[in-house]
Amino acid sequence: MASPSLPLLILLLLLHNAAPGAVAGGGVNPFTAKAAFIRYWNRRVPNNRPHPAFFVAKLSPLQAADAASFPDTLPAIRARLPALCGKAALLCPSASETETAASLAAAGARGGGPFKGYNNANFTNYGSGGVGGADGFSSYSPDLNVVGDSFRRYGRDSTRRADTFASYEAEGNVVTANFTSYSGGATGGTGSFTAYAADTNVPDATFTNYDAEANGRRREFTSYSQEANHGENTFSGYGKNGNGLRETFTTYGNESNVIASGFANYGESANGATDTFTGYGKEGNVPDNTFRGYGAGGNAGVDNFKGYRSESNVGDDSFASYAKGANGNAAEFQNYGGSFNPGSVTFKGYGEGNNPNHHIGFKEYAGSNNTFKGYAKSGVDFKEYHNTSSADAATAMSLEVVSSGHQHLKWSPEPGKFFRERELVTGNRMPMPDIKDKMPPRAFLPRDIAKKIPFKPNAVSEVFGVPLDTAMGKAVTSTVAECERAPSRGETKRCATSAEDIVDFAVEMLGNDIVVRSTASTAGSGGEIRLGNVTGVDGGKVTRSVSCHQSLFPYLVYYCHSVPKVRVYEANIMAADSNQKINHGVAICHLDTSDWSPTHGAFIALGGKPGEVEVCHWIFEGDMTWTVAD
């Protein structure tokens, strides 16, 4: 008798594994990884509750043949990856553009701005050696997921050219960007770089040199990493060894969230330069900023630094050297450390060196936990130096913010992100935060496939072709480290690398008669809403939940933890000024906040201290909470 074919074997295997009476439901093809998981759910959670659409949508779309033939070894998986990325809905690095090297070389040789849009590739040379005329680049890799770009040279050794670069990596997600040289050695002309890595999520952006060894140039860099979220940015050189330059840098890392940023050299060894740096790290949230070298070794320059980490929230900052060894410089620093909620701030070296022929002014240096070491004993004028307590500084800044009409700083918790339990009543109007899922779209891998990929950075890097020194590689490393971290006091946690893992953890913590919930949609997000009918889960009793939050990984990985002493609510969300129902929300109220950090955004928004107040929030899109069934 002939052996059965592979498709028949798969069919027999699926029928064998199906529980009696199990139904995939919802028109799901029974011969898929998705259907196999639904049967698993039915066995583990046998309460015949509907499978929520938001969870089912995250399941693997793999067909039975693809799942059954998935390779076992890392090299074999890597070889199959390009085909599997689409079939399994994985987050893989984007393919490079199909432009040929010859066409890029020709475009770079002639310059003149032939590219209005260019995506996710390496650009070696653009507009080098051009004489007169203008170059323009409108948009480079906008709004992409897992993008990796390298721009090596732009306008190098050009003469009397006007060049512009409007946008590089705007609104990207998991961005690795490198710009090596912009107008290096150029003579005369003007130019501007408007935005670099603006509104990016998890960036790893570097800019090596801007106008290095340029002569007689007038340049402007408007924005670098504005409103970026959770990443790392560096800028190595700006106007280094330039002659007769007029340089302005308007904003660097302003309004960013949990960003590590470094700026290494600004106007180093420049001759006759006029430099202005307007804002660095303004309104940042928990920044880690370093600035090493502004105007060092300059000759007959005019330097002005207007603001460093103004109105920021905590974080760690250091400024290593300002106008060190400069000769005949006029330098002014207007504001350093004027934070709303000061962090750790150090300033080492202001106007030091062997050339006393300079005049340097410092208008204001303020805050607590500050150190200012090593400044020139002559030629330096301090107008104000404040060393106040955190409470005094915060109070003074609060009064200033209120008087200016600037009620909500950018880093402050968004209105409605946290609220008190008493606000969950029918008819209450309240702001709803932006609850949209900011993560790139991905699906779960079936458990038997996820187990074939070791949960280690090097293995994930090998399989998915993600270098660990890129933004995505660093995110993978961070996710693994967080998963391997010892649990906090009273916490039970698990990283779920498959949908099966999530169900198993929820059953382990709560039993097998459970329900998972999430807010139904993003309707009303970021606006004013009104609450319709509000219902407490399990009659509003204090209960325990399992909350699961997405981590950034090539496939779906969730950080799940058991949360004791909570109340969970469901609420109809209505349009603010009508009786129209627009959404169905799920909110969780944490009744015991005694182990939370005193600087947690909830206490900034609501007042109070850890253990004094309960804190409620909506379950955002992409996240979920499990409870015992009513």
Side-chain angles (χ1 to χ4, degrees), residues 174-231:
V174 196
V175 169
T176 302
N178 179 41
F179 212 115
T180 305
S181 174
Y182 191 101
S183 295
T187 298
T190 62
S192 64
F193 203 119
T194 304
Y196 186 99
D199 298 302
T200 50
N201 186 43
V202 197
D204 182 19
T206 61
F207 208 116
T208 306
N209 269 306
Y210 187 94
D211 265 6
E213 300 180 358
N215 181 52
R217 297 272 292 169
R218 182 174 180 175
R219 305 282 317 178
E220 179 179 5
F221 204 117
T222 305
S223 170
Y224 187 97
S225 193
Q226 181 91 353
E227 298 190 38
N229 182 48
H230 285 83

Side-chain angles (χ1 to χ4, degrees), residues 183-469:
S183 295
T187 298
T190 62
S192 64
F193 203 119
T194 304
Y196 186 99
D199 298 302
T200 50
N201 186 43
V202 197
D204 182 19
T206 61
F207 208 116
T208 306
N209 269 306
Y210 187 94
D211 265 6
E213 300 180 358
N215 181 52
R217 297 272 292 169
R218 182 174 180 175
R219 305 282 317 178
E220 179 179 5
F221 204 117
T222 305
S223 170
Y224 187 97
S225 193
Q226 181 91 353
E227 298 190 38
N229 182 48
H230 285 83
E232 185 175 347
N233 300 318
T234 59
F235 208 115
S236 298
Y238 189 100
K240 183 177 181 179
N241 296 323
N243 181 49
L245 303 181
R246 294 179 60 84
E247 308 271 5
T248 62
F249 206 118
T250 307
T251 67
Y252 184 99
N254 286 9
E255 304 171 22
S256 60
N257 181 48
V258 197
I259 286 286
S261 67
F263 206 116
N265 287 294
Y266 187 100
E268 180 183 5
S269 301
N271 181 49
T274 301
D275 294 330
T276 300
F277 207 119
T278 303
Y280 185 100
K282 182 178 180 180
E283 295 187 0
N285 182 43
V286 199
D288 182 6
N289 295 331
T290 60
F291 203 114
R292 297 196 312 273
Y294 186 100
N299 180 53
V302 178
D303 295 329
N304 190 4
F305 207 118
K306 292 186 177 180
Y308 187 98
R309 70 160 285 138
S310 301
E311 301 179 34
S312 292
N313 179 44
V314 297
D316 298 295
D317 297 287
S318 64
F319 203 115
S321 174
Y322 190 91
K324 182 176 182 179
N327 178 50
N329 273 30
E332 180 80 14
F333 208 119
Q334 294 189 22
N335 186 2
Y336 184 95
S339 301
F340 182 85
N341 193 12
S344 174
V345 177
T346 61
F347 203 117
K348 297 179 181 179
Y350 188 87
E352 292 182 294
N354 298 320
N355 299 313
N357 182 28
H358 55 216
H359 177 77
I360 298 177
F362 209 114
K363 186 176 180 181
E364 184 173 358
Y365 182 90
S368 65
N369 196 23
N370 293 340
T371 61
F372 200 112
K373 296 180 180 179
Y375 60 91
K377 304 306 179 185
S378 62
V380 176
D381 178 25
F382 275 94
K383 292 181 181 172
E384 294 184 52
Y385 183 99
H386 302 290
N387 191 7
T388 58
S389 69
S390 296
D392 290 342
T395 300
M397 186 61 74
S398 297
L399 293 174
E400 179 182 335
V401 167
V402 171
S403 64
S404 67
H406 190 181
Q407 296 286 345
H408 299 289
L409 300 176
K410 291 289 184 181
W411 55 262
S412 298
E414 186 181 2
K417 183 173 184 179
F418 302 107
F419 48 90
R420 301 293 300 275
E421 192 172 18
R422 60 176 178 259
E423 296 182 58
L424 287 169
V425 293
T426 300
N428 185 41
R429 290 174 66 104
M430 61 190 300
M432 190 172 195
D434 181 3
I435 67 169
K436 295 175 184 175
D437 182 6
K438 303 298 193 302
M439 292 281 191
R442 295 147 296 153
F444 283 112
L445 279 175
R447 176 188 272 171
D448 58 344
I449 293 177
K451 284 184 174 180
K452 296 178 179 179
I453 305 172
F455 195 66
K456 297 291 181 183
N458 287 337
V460 175
S461 173
E462 178 184 345
V463 168
F464 290 94
V466 179
L468 293 180
D469 61 352

Side-chain angles (χ1 to χ4, degrees), residues 550-592:
Q550 285 188 79
S551 298
L552 185 53
F553 220 68
Y555 51 92
L556 275 180
V557 170
Y558 271 82
Y559 178 94
C560 296
H561 57 130
S562 178
V563 185
K565 296 183 181 179
V566 300
R567 275 193 281 264
V568 178
Y569 292 88
E570 294 187 87
N572 288 334
I573 296 174
M574 320 295 289
D577 298 312
S578 74
N579 290 322
Q580 179 188 3
K581 179 183 173 181
I582 59 174
N583 202 348
H584 186 77
V586 177
I588 185 169
C589 292
H590 300 266
L591 306 180
D592 182 4

Side-chain angles (χ1 to χ4, degrees), residues 93-104 115-123 137 139-150 169:
S94 303
S96 296
E97 290 295 290
T98 58
E99 304 253 23
T100 65
S103 66
L104 293 180
F115 295 107
K116 291 186 178 179
Y118 189 85
N119 291 335
N120 195 33
N122 298 330
F123 209 111
F137 221 111
S139 183
Y140 191 105
S141 291
D143 195 21
L144 296 179
N145 277 325
V146 198
V147 55
D149 282 331
S150 175
E169 301 281 18

